[in-house]
Amino acid sequence: MFFADALALLPVMLFLCSCSRPKSPLDASTIILWEQEDAQVAPYIDSVLTAFQKLPENKAIRIVRTHYQTEDLRSQFQAASLAGVAPDLIMCPSDTAGLFAVSGFIRPVDGLIDASKYNKAVMQAITLDGKIWGVPVSNGNHLMFFFNRKYAKTAPKDTDELFKFCATDAKAYKLDFCMAFDMGEPFWLMPWLAAFGGWPIDNKTPTLDTPAMRSAINFYLDLKFTKKYAPPECDYNCMDSLFKEGKTAFIINGDWAISGYQQHFKKDFGLGLIPKVSSTGLWPAPMVSGKYFMISSGVKPEKLGIIQKLMEFYTNRENQIRQFKELQRLPALAEASKAPEITGTDVSRVSMEQISKGRPMSMATEMRAIWDSARNYLGLATSRKLSVEDATRKMQENAAEKITEMNR
Amino acid sequence: MNKEASAHRRKKTIKFLLVHLAIIAFVVICVYPLLRIFSVSIRPGDKLISTDLSLIPVGATFEAYVRLLKETLFLRWLWNSLLITVATSFIGVSLASTAAYAFSRFKFGGKKGGMILLLSTQMIPAGMLILPLFLMIMKLGLMNTYLGMIIAYSVSSLPFSIWILKGYYDTIPRSLEEAALVDGTSQLGAFYRIILPLSTPALSIAFLFNFTTAWNEYLVARVVLFSAKQYTWTLGLFELQGQYITQWGMFAAGSMLVTIPVLMVFLYSSKWLISGLTLGSVKG
C-alpha cells in the first residue's frame, strides 16, 4: 500500500518543483558566465561578482556562474555556440582562444577595453591577427620551481647545482625521488625545450622535430632512467602527492599551486626559478599567458554595456590586488602590478622574475595540434616505446597533418 | 555408514568453506574501493595518491567533511538531488504501474507494437537522447529547473519500468481480479486493492531502478542545469575539480556522503525485495 499511498504525494512534489523555476537566463539583465577555475578560486570569483551586483546601478543585474572542467568548457562552449545558446562570457586560459576566434565563437574586445592599461606580455598572448580577443584577469599561469625548505635552504640556480643536491643531500634524506613534475604533459616540457634552444612553434609552423626537442626529451630520459632523480611514471596528482608527503624535495608546478603549497608547508614553503640548464647556459622559459574573459560572438548588444562594466570592475586595481592576496596570482592590470602590496612580497618577486624568463603562449590555432601531437609522442618516447628520433619526427608529421586537416 | 557420513560432512564443510571464501572475496572486491575513497576523504592535504597504503592515513582528519558542508553548497546539491530523485521515482512508478497494467490486462490495437516500441527506446544510447531532450526542455522553458530534470528523468526510465511491471502483472492470476469484480469493485479498485499490493516487490524494483538512475545521473543534468544553486550532487562535486587542482579530500568526502541516501533506500526496501522472492511460495 506504500506505493499506492505515495501517489497522493505527487501533487505536492509537482507543486514543490514548480516553485523552483528561477528567473530566465535569457533576459537582458542576466549574464551567463562559464569558467574552468580550480576549486579554491570559486569563492573569490563569487565574492567579486556579488560585490559588482551590490553596486547601486547594478541592482537588477544577475550573474549565473557555471563551472566546467577545462576540456568540458571547450567542447561545451563550441557546442553551445553552434546551437546558438552560448554563454555571454567565459573565463579561461588563452590556449583555446585561437580556436574560438577563428571559429567565430568569440568577438574581439577592441574598443571595449583600454588595452594599454594591461601588462604588455599578457595582452600579447591574447592577440591574434592584430585583434585582441580577451580581457586579462591574471598574469602568469606559468610554471615555477617549488622546494621544501626542510631539505633545501634555497632553490638550485642551475642543473649542476640541482644534480649535486640530488646525488648527495637527497640520498642522505632518503627521499623517494629528488624531484617530480608531470613529464607526460607537454606544458611542462616547453620550459626545458626553450632551455635547449627550441620552441614548439615559429609563427604558425610547428617546430617539433629539432635537435632542441631531442635534447629536451633525452634530458627527461636521463632524469628518469639514468640518474633516477625523477619518478619513471608520474602524473600531476602523483607529483603533487610526492611533494606534499615530503618524499621529493623539488617540484615544478604552476602559479595556481602557490597558495595551496603555502598553506600546506607553511614555513617550509620555498619558491624559486626553474634552474638554468648548465650545459646550454639557457634559462627554461615557461609559457606565460593568464586567465581571460572572452565574450561570446552571440552576445546580445544590450548586454555588452553590462559585460564591459563587469570586466572593468573585475580587473580594477582593488580587485587585482585582492586576487593576488587571496590566490597569489599576479595582476594583469599594469597599475596594480606596481602596487607595494604586489611588489613587496617574495612570491611576487620570484613569480615576476620567472615570467620575465618565460615567453608568451602563442594564441595560434595551430597550437592545439601541437599540444595533442606532442602529448602523444612525448608519452611514447619517455616510456621508451619509441626512439627519441622517431618520436620527434612523428610529432612533427602528426602536428602538420592535424594543421592541414584544420585548415581544410 | 560412519565413513559415508563423515565423507558427506567433509564434503559439506569443503563446500561451505569454498562458498564463503568466494563470498568474502566478493565482499573485499566491493568494499575495498569504498575504503580507499574513505581513506582519501580523511587524508590531509588534498592528496588523491599516496605512497602510504594504510587505510587510516597519518594525520587523518575529518576536515574535508567539515569544509565540504561549510564552504560549498553540498547540502543544497544533496537536497536538489533528493527532490528530483524522489519525485522522479514516484512519478515514474505511478505512470509505469498504470501503463503496465493496461498492457498486461487489456486488448487494444497496437498493444504489441507499443511494447516493442517501448523496448526499442532502450536500445538508444543515452548520449543520443541528450540533444532532443535539451531542445524539448528549452522549448518548454524548463532549463535550469527541477521540473525540467524530473520530466527528463521520468520519461527516460519509464520504458524499463513498464516492461518490468508488465512482466510481473502477467504472473498474477486474473481470477483474483475477477473475484474482486464479482464482489462489486471497479476495474480501478481491483487494480488499487488487489494488483498493487501484490506487486510490491516489482514496484520496489522499479522504484529502486528509477531512484538509482536519477540519483547517479550526470549527462542530462550537465546539459539542463547551469547554476550552482540548482545543481544536483553529481554536478556539484565537479565544482571541486579544476584545471590542475582538484580538492580530492572534499571530493571523496562528498562521494562518501552521497552513498548514504541510496544505502538507506536499499535497506528500507530490502524487506519488499526479499518478500518478492518468497511470494507465491506458500499455498493457501
Side-chain angles (χ1 to χ4, degrees):
Chain A
M1 293 307 283
F2 172 75
F3 285 102
D5 296 339
L7 291 178
L9 278 173
L10 268 182
V12 181
M13 287 281 179
L14 287 167
F15 172 74
L16 271 173
C17 295
S18 62
C19 295
S20 75
R21 186 183 295 200
K23 195 175 169 186
S24 165
L26 303 171
D27 62 75
S29 61
T30 303
I31 303 295
I32 307 288
L33 165 70
W34 287 5
E35 48 79 19
Q36 51 68 263
E37 276 289 6
D38 290 325
Q40 80 262 24
V41 184
Y44 170 78
I45 297 174
D46 288 339
S47 70
V48 180
L49 298 181
T50 305
F52 176 73
Q53 287 168 274
K54 277 183 179 165
L55 295 174
E57 67 272 25
N58 299 335
K59 285 278 187 258
I61 294 170
R62 270 181 78 247
I63 302 168
V64 180
R65 175 184 69 82
T66 305
H67 172 80
Y68 286 97
Q69 289 159 275
T70 307
E71 283 308 306
D72 282 350
L73 178 77
R74 185 170 66 92
S75 57
Q76 293 270 13
F77 182 65
Q78 282 175 286
S81 298
L82 289 167
V85 287
D88 304 302
L89 205 55
I90 54 171
M91 192 201 287
C92 59
S94 62
D95 53 0
T96 51
L99 182 73
F100 294 158
V102 169
S103 309
F105 298 151
I106 55 173
R107 50 163 296 160
V109 296
D110 302 76
L112 278 178
I113 55 149
D114 178 3
S116 66
K117 289 200 304 183
Y118 298 94
N119 288 321
K120 211 172 171 183
V122 83
M123 290 312 290
Q124 267 181 338
I126 201 73
T127 304
L128 183 72
D129 300 331
K131 288 192 176 118
I132 301 165
W133 295 93
V135 176
V137 170
S138 63
N139 182 16
N141 208 46
H142 56 291
L143 293 172
M144 302 170 79
F145 194 81
F146 297 82
F147 62 98
N148 187 337
R149 286 190 189 275
K150 212 192 303 184
Y151 306 123
K153 292 284 164 281
T154 56
K157 287 180 184 62
D158 54 34
T159 48
D160 282 350
E161 213 174 294
L162 170 71
F163 296 157
K164 191 181 164 199
F165 177 94
C166 293
T168 54
D169 299 48
K171 280 199 168 68
Y173 284 118
K174 292 193 170 68
L175 297 176
D176 288 15
F177 295 99
C178 180
M179 65 190 303
F181 58 96
D182 192 347
M183 290 185 169
E185 182 54 51
F187 188 67
W188 269 256
L189 178 73
M190 298 314 165
W192 299 111
L193 178 61
F196 285 101
W199 198 242
I201 191 165
D202 181 13
N203 192 13
K204 290 186 177 184
T205 309
T207 47
L208 302 168
D209 188 16
T210 59
M213 179 61 88
R214 285 188 282 279
S215 300
I217 295 175
N218 278 319
F219 175 75
Y220 267 30
L221 292 173
D222 190 43
L223 279 178
K224 278 182 172 205
F225 302 112
T226 313
K227 293 191 170 77
K228 294 189 169 68
Y229 292 160
E233 279 295 325
C234 202
D235 66 356
Y236 188 92
N237 286 311
C238 156
M239 71 169 196
D240 187 59
S241 291
L242 282 172
F243 187 57
K244 281 176 175 170
E245 288 181 344
K247 291 180 176 174
T248 181
F250 307 121
I251 191 173
I252 294 170
N253 207 342
D255 62 348
W256 56 82
I258 294 173
S259 56
Y261 288 155
Q262 275 180 323
Q263 281 168 27
H264 185 81
F265 290 100
K266 296 182 174 71
K267 64 178 175 50
D268 288 329
F269 168 81
L271 183 67
L273 302 177
I274 304 174
K276 186 195 284 186
V277 172
S278 303
S279 59
T280 63
L282 295 172
W283 284 99
M287 284 194 166
V288 179
S289 60
K291 292 281 168 91
Y292 298 86
F293 278 125
M294 295 172 211
I295 306 172
S296 166
S297 54
V299 74
K300 288 189 169 69
E302 58 267 32
K303 284 190 183 183
L304 270 178
I306 303 170
I307 289 170
Q308 185 180 359
K309 280 201 293 182
L310 171 64
M311 293 189 306
E312 278 173 4
F313 179 82
Y314 200 99
T315 60
N316 69 20
R317 186 179 185 275
E318 188 191 336
N319 283 325
Q320 288 277 280
I321 291 168
R322 193 161 79 85
Q323 179 179 254
F324 176 76
K325 281 180 177 171
E326 289 186 28
L327 308 173
Q328 300 295 317
R329 290 190 183 173
L330 291 170
L333 192 77
E335 187 195 351
S337 305
K338 297 183 188 104
E341 296 97 324
I342 308 291
T343 54
T345 69
D346 282 345
V347 168
S348 69
R349 189 184 47 76
V350 176
S351 198
M352 285 286 200
E353 202 177 337
Q354 186 68 82
I355 285 175
S356 72
K357 306 237 181 289
R359 289 170 68 172
M361 185 192 282
S362 170
M363 205 190 131
T365 46
E366 288 75 8
M367 268 315 288
R368 185 81 240 164
I370 289 168
W371 288 128
D372 293 345
S373 178
R375 189 174 294 109
N376 288 342
Y377 293 102
L378 175 66
L380 290 169
T382 53
S383 57
R384 290 170 158 176
K385 289 184 177 120
L386 209 60
S387 73
V388 175
E389 287 71 21
D390 284 348
T392 54
R393 183 173 47 78
K394 288 187 174 179
M395 209 186 269
Q396 177 74 26
E397 285 169 3
N398 189 258
E401 252 171 60
K402 282 179 191 283
I403 290 165
T404 309
E405 275 170 30
M406 272 188 337
N407 295 334
R408 226 171 252 160
Chain B
M1 194 70 190
N2 264 353
K3 268 186 186 174
E4 259 181 48
S6 64
H8 179 69
R9 255 202 312 276
R10 219 180 9 257
K11 212 172 172 184
K12 219 174 161 182
T13 309
I14 290 167
K15 193 179 172 186
F16 176 87
L17 281 172
L18 284 173
V19 167
H20 279 76
L21 273 174
I23 290 169
I24 289 165
F26 279 115
V27 168
V28 168
I29 289 165
C30 292
V31 169
Y32 185 74
L34 267 175
L35 290 176
R36 292 308 312 173
I37 293 168
F38 177 67
S39 179
V40 172
S41 74
I42 57 171
R43 197 175 284 162
D46 272 336
K47 292 180 298 226
L48 174 68
I49 301 165
S50 175
T51 48
D52 177 16
L53 284 174
S54 57
L55 284 173
I56 306 295
V58 179
T61 169
F62 283 97
E63 192 197 356
Y65 289 86
V66 175
R67 284 181 57 210
L68 181 76
L69 298 173
K70 278 172 74 174
E71 294 174 21
T72 71
L73 294 166
F74 182 75
L75 288 175
R76 170 87 194 224
W77 300 331
L78 218 54
W79 165 250
N80 293 343
S81 280
L82 209 60
L83 190 69
I84 290 166
T85 302
V86 171
T88 298
S89 305
F90 279 127
I91 292 168
V93 170
S94 315
L95 295 174
S97 60
T98 46
Y101 185 67
F103 274 115
S104 171
R105 290 296 191 259
F106 302 122
K107 285 194 173 84
F108 54 89
K111 176 181 167 178
K112 203 174 176 183
M115 284 305 283
I116 289 165
L117 187 71
L118 279 174
L119 185 65
S120 63
T121 60
Q122 297 299 286
M123 312 296 169
I124 301 167
M128 278 177 71
L129 293 171
I130 295 286
L131 190 62
L133 269 175
F134 169 74
L135 291 171
M136 282 192 284
I137 289 166
M138 197 172 66
K139 287 272 189 289
L140 290 167
L142 295 173
M143 288 296 285
N144 204 33
T145 62
Y146 297 141
L147 201 55
M149 293 292 295
I150 291 164
I151 289 169
Y153 286 169
S154 301
V155 296
S156 53
S157 59
L158 205 55
F160 180 82
S161 303
I162 291 172
W163 264 92
I164 283 205
L165 291 168
K166 192 254 176 201
Y168 195 85
Y169 292 158
D170 287 347
T171 65
I172 299 172
R174 284 170 188 261
S175 54
L176 292 173
E177 279 162 279
E178 285 159 4
L181 292 169
V182 167
D183 285 345
T185 188
S186 64
Q187 187 77 52
L188 194 63
F191 169 68
Y192 186 78
R193 293 190 180 88
I194 310 287
I195 300 295
L196 273 188
L198 285 174
S199 306
T200 305
L203 290 167
S204 302
I205 293 283
F207 183 88
L208 278 177
F209 170 78
N210 282 292
F211 190 95
T212 49
T213 305
W215 184 257
N216 297 320
E217 206 283 331
Y218 174 82
L219 263 182
V220 174
R222 175 82 284 176
V223 171
V224 175
L225 303 174
F226 48 75
S227 97
K229 281 182 181 171
Q230 299 290 110
Y231 279 179
T232 55
W233 72 262
T234 48
L235 290 185
L237 281 191
F238 281 95
E239 280 268 298
L240 306 171
Q241 193 160 27
Q243 185 179 11
Y244 291 112
I245 297 173
T246 298
Q247 293 181 320
W248 291 116
M250 283 158 79
F251 201 100
S255 305
M256 290 303 297
L257 292 176
V258 298
T259 59
I260 294 168
V262 183
L263 211 63
M264 281 165 64
V265 169
F266 266 89
L267 289 173
Y268 183 69
S269 56
S270 63
K271 58 184 175 191
W272 286 305
L273 295 175
I274 291 160
S275 73
L277 297 174
T278 56
L279 198 80
S281 60
V282 179
K283 214 173 175 185

